[in-house]
Amino acid sequence: MRIHRLEIEAFGPFATSQHIDFDQLSAQGLFLLNGATGAGKTSILDAICFALYGSVPGARQEGKRLRSDHAAPGAEPRVVCEFSARGRRFEVSRSPAWERPSARGRNGFTTQQAKTLLREWVSGVWEEKSSRNDEVGAELSELLGMDRDQFTRVVMLPQGDFAAFLRSKANDRLELLQKLFGTQRFESVEKHIARQAAEASRAVQDNAAELKMLLDRAAAEREQLGLADAPANVETAVEAPEAWFAVLEMELLEEAGRRKDEATAADARAVRLAEQLQEDQEKAQRHARLAAGMQRRVLHELAAARALENKEKLGGHRRAAVLGGQLDAVEATERKFRSALEERDSSREQLESKGLDAAHPVAALETVKTTLAVLEARLPDERRMEEVATRLAAKRQEHSSHLAAAQAAAESLQHLRAEEAAVKTGMEALEPSAARIEDLEREAAAAAELVSVVSRHEAAAAGLQDVTERHARARNKTQDLRQAWLDMREARLANAAGELAAALVPGQPCAVCGSNEHPNPAAAARSALSIAQEEEEASKLFEASEKALGRIAEEVSRAAQLLAGLAAQGGSADPEESAARLVASEAAATEARKASVALEKLRKEHEGLIKRMTLLQEEHAASTNAAVQASSAVELLQEQYLALENELAGLGQGFASLRERAEALTSQGLLLQAAVDAANELERAAAARLEALAALERALPGSGFSSVEDVRRQLMPPSDVVALENALADFEAEAARLDELFAAEELVMAAKEVSIGELPLPEDELSVARTGAARAMDAAKALALSAGLAHKAVQSVQRIRAEYQKLAEAGREPREHAILLGGLADTLRGAGDNSYRMSLNSYVLAARLEQVAIAASERLVAMSDGRYTLQHTDARAARNQKSGLGLEVVDEWTGQRRDTSTLSGGESFMASLSLALGLADVVQQEAGGVDIETLFVDEGFGSLDEQALEQVMDALEGLRDGGRVVGLVSHVAEMKQRISSQLHVIKGRHGSSVVVAEEMPA
């Protein structure tokens, strides 16, 4: 990468546009960049870095400080760099973000965003590549093959940094080397392996925990059986799990066999006792059933006489029941006859009470039916007349309502018209004032802005007057100090003439003019040393005063610009007139706003009145039309009602309506019909009664009864019959059951046992036997459960043993993998068997540092006249510090190695310069072989003696081999004499400037 041209404007200390032709400077391969302190030598390097990477090194990265304070307010900061890389030629232009003066903004400034433009020289013309910051940055990074930090350490060699690198510790060297060589990936490998080792260790721990849990479960199975002390604890089992499991399984098998034998014996004893108890209980039950049967037989024999009596009663009842139907028929017909007689007498009494013909109800009923038919035929006309009357009343009411509504609407409409006229008059009065509200508000805002500008103008004028007075005082003081310094210099010159005159010898030539005659020698008033010191102090006072005067002049310029800007905005107007204008315009605007608010309120009120008037007009028209329609309907309904009333006259016979007369005739018809029905029913009941009596008299002779009363005495209620039948059935069933019971085998056996004297056990002895059998059964169950638990424990331990073996086998490979990864992770991070305590990252950087030391030694040998070389050392650091990044200097004159911190100032400069150049070569190789054809070496030459400087310059001369260009930044006077191609940075009160000089300074 070679730099051809650089343009700087309003950047750093450079206020105006500066052009630097590096091709012209680089013609001899070596050029000098010099200038006074603070002139801007480093700012040129910053401009190159900013053009290529969009930022500057170190603490100067803040873009807001990049713009020159000396530049005109509207000057745009800009850097243009033309360079070649990878056989192509490019031009990059950048402008940082800056505050541009605004013509209309209230704060006076507008933020101008950063801009970038990349162009390439193709076929004799510049072709634009991109104007986006991110795209240009990516394109340049790929072209240069270095990031900003690498560029500033490889192309712009800061000697102070590498001198510190020589004396720094391993950790500090690691940080710098890692940034330069980008070895973060090796740190990532270390962390990745460490994570894998941790995960593998956790997997092994999890496997061990699971194995331990299986051992605990196996031990818990033994503890549940309540055995004595275990053959070995769990901690011992971890060391020899197979033997522990074998002993435990054998012990549990023996315990399970013992418990199984005990459970078998207990079960046999319980079965034997249960069988004996069952025999005793069955014998007791047989004898109990025998005793109960004997008791039932005695009770049955006692109930035999009562059963015979019940049987005779049931026989008489059944014979009488043959005539029960005839008796029931006689009684039923008798009841119907009496009821029909009572109903006929009651109906006749009702007819007589109503004034009807009770003697001839049939004829009276026919008359009523005929009249009722006539009335029912005219009932629809009567209902129609009632409907007409109802509608007539409703229409009359509707007509009255509509007339009243129309009258009310007319009155309300009259009132609203009066209100609308008043509101319209108020609106017309307010409209002229409200129409001017926008103009008045603009006038008020303009007046307020003018008052603010006038106030700021007064303050700015006062400030300008104050700073002008301070500038005048400072100028007078500076002129006085300048005059004092000139006087002192004149005095020193005059005194110098006196000193020369004091050395003159008559007859010998003057050292100045060569004359042998000395007619009027000057007299020396003071010593040269004291007057020179006074002159230097006067000069310093003058320079400090001149700088202060420059700062105050800048304040005067800024204050004058501010005052001119405010005056252009009307700030010179009379303050009282401005204030009065503001008060008047604000008052007028306030009145207009009030009028506008009132007008808007009246407009809304007017709109509401118009809407209400429209609604009232519609309501009045609708009410009027409805009243006319209702009046026509009233007349029509009146005619219909009168016609129906004439047709129905005479049919009421004194009733209020035909409906009421029809209802009365219907009641009479019902009474007459009931009387006719009662007479007919009485005739039918009398005939049925006579027929039933005749049938009963015909059946008595063949039934065995002499009279009806004898039949009634033998008959019983159905409930008594059912009870006697049930009792007789129970008696016969009990007899059958007793015969069956005493024929049963167990009662026959019990009777035989009684006959031979084999009686059952008493209840207390039987209870004792029952308790013993239950206890034996409980004991057998408990022992069976214990044996089952032991057998289950054996199965569990066998299953756990299989799981343990499977899990242990599965964990063997992860354990070996964890050991391997753990050792590898320890080695990579500099622990474990890594005796040098070097991490992988440090190891890689140590290799790079060894390459740097070899490359640096080639130049340090030349600079130190073959005395010194740099050597990398991987000796282990003290106090467990990181190793592998040590540097030693080898003194070839003595053959001794020593620490780089023991070098003198000049030797340290040569070593650090060699180290920087060597590092540039190695980084260039690491960056993909990018050619670095332009190098800048910044400061440090003042610490060299004449011989060392000569050797360093020879080494730098060697850098030009292959067309490389080297720029040196230095104040050393001898450098100015040795290097003819120079770039001077001249510092001035209004900013710095650059001058290219190709001639050797005189």
Side-chain angles (χ1 to χ4, degrees):
M1 191 273 291
R2 177 185 291 272
I3 300 175
H4 300 288
R5 176 175 57 88
L6 183 68
E7 296 182 12
I8 309 173
E9 182 178 2
F11 184 90
F14 304 104
T16 59
S17 178
Q18 305 294 319
H19 299 267
I20 304 174
D21 187 351
F22 282 100
D23 288 338
Q24 178 185 355
L25 281 171
S26 306
Q28 300 179 17
L30 189 68
F31 67 90
L32 181 66
L33 177 61
N34 62 18
T37 300
K41 300 185 296 297
T42 304
S43 295
I44 293 177
L45 305 185
D46 289 347
I48 296 174
C49 186
F50 176 76
L52 297 177
Y53 294 97
S55 60
V56 298
R60 300 185 299 276
Q61 293 185 36
E62 297 184 10
K64 65 182 182 179
R65 298 299 303 160
L66 296 180
R67 187 180 182 275
S68 175
D69 295 332
H70 300 283
E76 179 183 15
R78 185 174 64 94
V79 176
V80 180
C81 180
E82 184 180 339
F83 66 95
S84 298
R86 301 182 186 272
R88 301 162 66 186
R89 195 177 185 103
F90 295 90
E91 179 193 77
V92 58
S93 302
R94 287 190 190 267
S95 175
W98 62 291
E99 298 295 325
R100 177 176 58 82
S102 174
R104 293 180 293 178
R106 290 190 175 183
N107 57 1
F109 294 94
T110 300
T111 301
Q112 192 73 24
Q113 299 300 324
K115 294 188 298 184
T116 305
L117 177 63
L118 178 65
R119 299 193 301 174
E120 183 178 4
W121 184 261
V122 180
S123 300
V125 294
W126 288 107
E127 290 186 0
E128 182 176 332
K129 300 286 289 182
S130 177
S131 59
R132 290 184 53 177
N133 295 329
D134 52 349
E135 291 181 355
V136 172
E139 180 84 11
L140 292 178
S141 295
E142 183 177 356
L143 281 170
L144 300 176
M146 295 177 286
D147 59 19
R148 191 200 66 183
D149 291 337
Q150 290 177 317
F151 181 82
T152 55
R153 286 181 171 87
V154 174
V155 178
M156 300 175 179
L157 306 180
Q159 297 309 306
D161 289 355
F162 286 96
F165 182 82
L166 278 175
R167 299 178 175 85
S168 61
K169 297 181 180 179
N171 289 337
D172 299 330
R173 288 176 181 168
L174 184 143
E175 181 179 356
L176 174 61
L177 292 173
Q178 184 167 291
K179 288 182 179 178
L180 290 174
F181 293 106
T183 58
Q184 291 85 353
R185 61 185 183 278
F186 297 103
E187 280 192 351
S188 301
V189 170
E190 293 177 24
K191 295 177 181 178
H192 180 66
I193 297 299
R195 285 195 298 269
Q196 287 187 333
E199 292 174 358
S201 177
R202 283 195 296 272
V204 171
Q205 293 174 0
D206 294 342
N207 181 264
E210 292 179 2
L211 293 174
K212 177 67 168 53
M213 182 179 66
L214 291 175
L215 294 175
D216 292 339
R217 286 172 54 192
E221 293 292 338
R222 188 184 187 284
E223 292 175 0
Q224 289 179 358
L225 299 181
L227 299 179
D229 294 338
N233 56 27
V234 177
E235 287 71 16
T236 306
V238 174
E239 300 176 359
E242 286 299 325
W244 186 82
F245 270 116
V247 173
L248 178 61
E249 186 175 348
M250 182 62 67
E251 183 182 11
L252 293 181
L253 284 171
E254 293 176 356
E255 179 66 17
R258 184 183 65 79
R259 293 189 180 189
K260 183 177 181 181
D261 295 340
E262 291 179 354
T264 302
D267 185 66
R269 180 173 177 274
V271 170
R272 186 175 64 256
L273 290 177
E275 291 175 351
Q276 183 62 42
L277 176 62
Q278 185 175 3
E279 291 178 1
D280 293 340
Q281 288 178 339
E282 289 177 354
K283 186 176 182 180
Q285 290 174 357
R286 288 196 302 271
H287 284 267
R289 283 195 288 272
L290 178 61
M294 294 297 292
Q295 186 177 3
R296 286 171 61 189
R297 175 175 287 179
V298 171
L299 294 175
H300 185 267
E301 291 175 354
L302 293 175
R306 182 63 178 269
L308 182 59
E309 183 182 351
N310 290 339
K311 189 175 183 180
E312 291 176 355
K313 285 183 179 181
L314 283 175
H317 171 75
R318 290 189 179 103
R319 289 193 308 272
V322 175
L323 301 175
Q326 285 82 356
L327 287 174
D328 292 339
V330 171
E331 291 177 356
T333 55
E334 183 66 27
R335 287 194 301 271
K336 288 184 178 180
F337 175 75
R338 287 195 298 270
S339 176
L341 182 60
E342 291 176 358
E343 185 66 25
R344 188 201 65 179
D345 295 342
S346 175
S347 61
R348 285 184 177 181
E349 289 177 359
Q350 289 181 359
L351 291 176
E352 291 175 353
S353 64
K354 296 296 183 179
L356 299 176
D357 187 2
H360 305 88
V362 177
L365 179 60
E366 290 299 327
T367 303
V368 168
K369 288 181 178 179
T370 302
T371 305
L372 186 59
V374 174
L375 291 177
E376 288 178 350
R378 302 308 302 266
L379 282 177
D381 294 337
E382 185 183 52
R383 285 194 296 271
R384 188 163 61 254
M385 185 181 70
E386 291 175 353
E387 292 176 359
V388 170
T390 302
R391 293 168 58 193
L392 179 61
K395 285 297 180 180
R396 286 174 177 170
Q397 179 64 33
E398 183 180 350
H399 178 261
S400 300
S401 299
H402 288 311
L403 287 178
Q407 182 63 28
E411 294 176 356
S412 299
L413 186 60
Q414 184 176 1
H415 292 304
L416 288 179
R417 284 172 178 167
E419 291 182 17
E420 187 267 342
V423 169
K424 192 172 183 181
T425 302
M427 289 170 55
E428 293 174 353
L430 293 173
E431 284 176 350
S433 178
R436 298 182 60 239
I437 184 171
E438 295 183 358
D439 296 337
L440 293 175
E441 286 182 345
R442 283 196 295 269
E443 292 178 3
E449 180 67 21
L450 180 61
V451 168
S452 175
V453 171
V454 168
S455 175
R456 289 158 55 198
H457 181 271
E458 291 180 350
L464 177 61
Q465 183 178 359
D466 178 66
V467 74
T468 302
E469 293 175 354
R470 288 194 292 114
H471 181 266
R473 290 194 297 270
R475 185 175 63 250
N476 294 334
K477 180 180 177 181
T478 301
Q479 291 175 353
D480 293 342
L481 291 174
R482 181 176 182 278
Q483 187 62 43
W485 169 60
L486 294 175
D487 292 344
M488 188 57 64
R489 186 174 65 173
E490 186 67 25
R492 182 180 63 80
L493 293 176
N495 195 64
E499 291 177 358
L500 290 175
L504 293 176
V505 177
Q508 294 183 2
C510 175
V512 178
C513 63
S515 174
N516 293 326
E517 295 181 358
H518 315 294
N520 188 18
R526 302 169 59 184
S527 67
L529 179 62
S530 63
I531 198 169
Q533 290 177 346
E534 290 181 6
E535 181 191 3
E536 183 178 0
E537 292 176 358
S539 176
K540 289 181 179 179
L541 290 174
F542 167 67
E543 289 178 356
S545 179
E546 189 177 26
K547 290 180 180 179
L549 178 62
R551 289 193 295 270
I552 297 175
E554 293 176 358
E555 293 182 18
V556 172
S557 177
R558 287 194 296 269
Q561 291 177 2
L562 177 61
L563 184 64
L566 293 173
Q569 298 176 23
S572 58
D574 183 74
E576 294 183 356
E577 292 181 0
S578 302
R581 180 182 175 185
L582 174 61
V583 172
S585 59
E586 286 182 347
T590 300
E591 292 298 326
R593 282 192 291 270
K594 291 180 180 179
S596 178
V597 172
L599 177 61
E600 185 63 25
K601 184 177 180 181
L602 289 177
R603 283 174 177 170
K604 292 181 179 179
E605 184 178 354
H606 183 262
E607 291 177 359
L609 290 173
I610 294 297
K611 291 180 181 179
R612 290 169 60 190
M613 289 169 61
T614 303
L615 292 176
L616 283 175
Q617 289 174 352
E618 294 175 354
E619 290 177 5
H620 180 267
S623 298
T624 303
N625 293 334
V628 172
Q629 294 176 2
S631 177
S632 301
V634 166
E635 294 178 358
L636 180 61
L637 291 174
Q638 183 81 20
E639 294 176 358
Q640 294 177 0
Y641 181 80
L642 293 176
L644 290 172
E645 187 179 22
N646 293 331
E647 291 178 2
L648 299 178
L651 294 178
Q653 294 292 322
F655 287 91
S657 64
L658 298 181
R659 190 183 305 106
E660 291 182 4
R661 186 183 178 196
E663 291 174 355
L665 290 175
T666 301
S667 300
Q668 293 176 8
L670 292 174
L671 292 176
L672 291 171
Q673 184 65 48
V676 172
D677 294 341
N680 294 334
E681 182 64 25
L682 180 60
E683 291 178 0
R684 288 191 297 271
R689 174 172 166 272
L690 293 176
E691 183 179 355
L693 287 174
L696 180 61
E697 290 295 336
R698 288 193 299 269
L700 278 176
S703 64
F705 293 98
S706 59
S707 65
V708 175
E709 294 299 328
D710 290 339
V711 176
R712 288 195 172 103
R713 279 194 298 270
Q714 290 296 327
L715 288 173
M716 293 184 298
S719 59
D720 294 344
V721 174
V722 173
L724 289 176
E725 289 176 348
N726 290 338
L728 186 59
D730 291 341
F731 178 80
E732 293 174 353
E734 179 66 12
R737 285 194 294 269
L738 287 174
D739 293 340
E740 184 181 358
L741 177 63
F742 281 97
E745 183 181 355
E746 60 178 3
L747 261 67
V748 172
M749 184 184 296
K752 183 178 180 181
E753 290 172 348
V754 171
S755 64
I756 63 177
E758 291 184 2
L759 300 178
L761 292 176
E763 182 60 30
D764 54 350
E765 295 180 8
L766 188 62
S767 176
V768 171
R770 189 181 295 111
T771 302
R775 290 178 178 175
M777 184 60 67
D778 292 340
K781 290 180 179 179
L783 290 174
L785 178 61
S786 177
L789 291 176
H791 180 67
K792 183 179 179 182
V794 172
Q795 292 179 337
S796 297
V797 169
Q798 291 175 345
R799 187 171 59 255
I800 292 171
R801 184 179 184 180
E803 291 180 9
Y804 187 93
Q805 293 173 349
K806 183 178 180 180
L807 187 60
E809 181 63 27
R812 182 174 291 107
E813 182 177 350
R815 282 193 296 274
E816 296 174 355
H817 186 60
I819 293 173
L820 176 63
L821 286 177
L824 180 59
D826 290 340
T827 302
L828 292 181
R829 65 184 177 86
D833 295 334
N834 190 337
S835 60
Y836 284 97
R837 294 302 201 216
M838 292 176 63
S839 65
L840 175 62
N841 186 40
S842 299
Y843 178 78
V844 174
L845 291 178
R848 296 292 185 269
L849 183 59
E850 186 174 6
Q851 296 174 357
V852 172
I854 294 173
S857 295
E858 295 179 0
R859 293 180 173 84
L860 184 57
V861 167
M863 293 183 188
S864 62
D865 197 16
R867 179 177 181 179
Y868 294 118
T869 58
L870 290 175
Q871 181 171 319
H872 163 256
T873 175
D874 55 4
R876 182 170 178 177
R879 295 187 296 277
N880 292 325
Q881 296 291 325
K882 290 185 178 294
S883 304
L885 298 179
L887 276 177
E888 293 178 340
V889 61
V890 180
D891 191 340
E892 300 294 342
W893 291 0
T894 63
Q896 298 296 320
R897 299 180 180 180
R898 52 195 174 99
D899 191 84
T900 54
S901 61
T902 62
L903 294 173
S904 65
E907 293 171 342
S908 294
F909 169 75
M910 290 188 292
S912 60
L913 177 59
S914 300
L915 187 64
L917 296 173
L919 184 62
D921 292 340
V922 175
V923 172
Q924 177 178 340
Q925 296 173 3
E926 288 293 322
V930 176
D931 291 332
I932 301 176
E933 301 180 54
T934 303
L935 284 177
F936 293 92
V937 181
D938 191 359
E939 287 299 346
F941 298 95
S943 61
L944 302 177
D945 58 23
E946 183 177 354
Q947 181 180 357
L949 180 61
E950 184 71 25
Q951 294 168 348
V952 169
M953 290 300 297
D954 290 341
L956 293 175
E957 291 281 348
L959 293 177
R960 296 185 295 179
D961 296 342
R964 180 176 290 178
V965 177
V966 181
L968 304 180
V969 182
S970 177
H971 294 285
V972 178
E974 188 172 346
M975 302 281 288
K976 300 179 183 179
Q977 297 175 0
R978 292 178 60 95
I979 302 174
S980 60
S981 182
Q982 299 181 9
L983 176 64
H984 296 286
V985 183
I986 302 172
K987 178 173 62 175
R989 180 175 298 175
H990 300 294
S992 299
S993 59
V994 296
V995 175
V996 176
E998 297 182 354
E999 298 297 334
M1000 181 78 69

